[in-house]
Each structure stands twice: as C-alpha cells, then as structure tokens.
Amino acid sequence: MTTARKVSDSETLMTHRALPEDANPAGNVHGGVILKHIDLAGAVCAMRHARMSVVTASIDRMEFKAPVHVGELMLLHASVNRVGKQSMEIGVRVVVENLMTGEQRHAASAYLTFVAMGPDRKPASTPDLILETPTHERRNREAEMRRKLRLEERQRERQAQESEQISLGNP
C-alpha cells in the first residue's frame, strides 16, 4: 500500500475561458461543457492523489447554480473528500469570474467518484487520505454519509428489480 497523502497534495485548480463554441445562441455555456470540465478537474485531482490512472464511476449531486456566459473564466476547484479501498470522492466547485470587473459567482458544484486503475487496467488500491483542516474533516463526514445513502439506494433498487422479476415469473 502506498503512503497516505494529504488533501492539499492533490487539490487542483483548473481554468477554462468560455468561448462561443461552448455556448448556445443566447451566449450561455451548455451544461454538458461545464460537466466535461468538472469531470476533467475531478480526474486530475484523483490522479494526483492516486498517482495512477482513474475512471469516472459516478457523478453525484450535480447542481447548476448560475449561468456561465461567453467570455467569462471558469475556475474549477477540485479536492479529495473521501478515499475508500479503490475509489475516491472528489468535490468540484465551479466559480465564474467576469474578467472585466473581477466579479465572481458560484456557478456549479458536483461530487464525483473515481476508481483508481492499476497498470493491468483493473481497480487498484488508493493511498489513504490525511485530513488537515476542520473543513476537510467535515467534507469527509459528508462524503461518508453520501456513500452510505448511495449504497442503501442501490440495495433498494436491487430488491425492487428482484421483486419485479419474481412477479413477472422470471427468476
């Protein structure tokens, strides 16, 4: 097992200036473009923590809070919130800056789960996470709660699917 790593070792800030090809005719950046950059920032953060390739396993609680307009700068802040045996939850916050006025606003947030992939392209163990601040500790607790809820939801879905198969006569 590799050595534990601090949250600050992998914190990532990426930027993207919104261009006309990113937007609809009204000048608002498409949600899919924002999501692409969130996924990229999250993946870089996860790779910096694991020091190996990662794949996106899920995206949780994607929230668009304010539009991003052509010409504005997206600042994507990514941080590891929780580490499991082979997976990591990464939180990504998108802040948008008007480059002319300096005004900033919170545009979007998401939680993504990445799985570390070894050289054999199979899931691999990830380094433990060293929480450095009360904010890191809070984010870790919240990530653990989200994980628990996801697992409970998956169990309910499996049970519902099994019940449906039985009622249809397909064991």
Side-chain angles (χ1 to χ4, degrees), residues 11-167:
E11 286 178 323
T12 300
L13 171 63
M14 294 180 68
T15 62
H16 174 75
R17 186 164 186 220
L19 301 173
E21 60 264 23
D22 296 330
N24 62 26
N28 296 323
V29 174
H30 293 287
V33 171
I34 297 168
L35 189 54
K36 172 187 163 186
H37 289 284
I38 286 172
D39 187 43
L40 181 59
V44 168
C45 181
M47 288 177 77
R48 291 178 80 193
H49 179 77
R51 291 296 176 198
M52 62 183 81
S53 294
V54 299
V55 294
T56 308
S58 68
I59 299 174
D60 225 13
R61 300 242 327 251
M62 179 65 231
E63 294 182 69
F64 295 101
K65 297 182 171 287
V68 178
H69 303 108
V70 169
E72 293 182 317
L73 183 68
M74 290 191 301
L75 299 115
L76 298 106
H77 302 265
S79 182
V80 180
N81 292 336
R82 180 193 171 279
V83 169
K85 185 177 176 185
Q86 300 169 326
S87 65
M88 298 156 276
E89 183 193 274
I90 310 295
V92 181
R93 179 183 174 95
V94 181
V95 174
V96 176
E97 180 179 334
N98 178 313
L99 291 169
M100 299 301 134
T101 66
E103 176 191 348
Q104 293 187 349
R105 66 185 178 284
H106 181 191
S109 288
Y111 300 109
L112 301 92
T113 300
F114 291 91
V115 174
M117 303 300 281
D120 60 356
R121 297 186 181 188
K122 294 187 188 301
S125 295
T126 56
D128 290 334
L129 185 64
I130 300 169
L131 306 172
E132 303 169 89
T133 69
T135 298
H136 296 161
E137 291 170 5
R138 175 186 54 79
R139 289 176 180 166
N140 184 262
R141 282 191 308 273
E142 292 168 352
E144 192 58 51
M145 286 188 289
R146 282 188 293 277
R147 179 179 183 277
K148 183 178 179 218
L149 291 171
R150 275 193 307 275
L151 293 174
E152 289 171 357
E153 182 179 12
R154 272 192 217 130
Q155 182 63 29
R156 283 192 303 275
E157 288 172 355
R158 264 190 230 109
Q159 290 171 342
Q161 289 170 356
E162 289 170 3
S163 295
E164 185 178 305
Q165 290 298 319
I166 291 170
S167 71

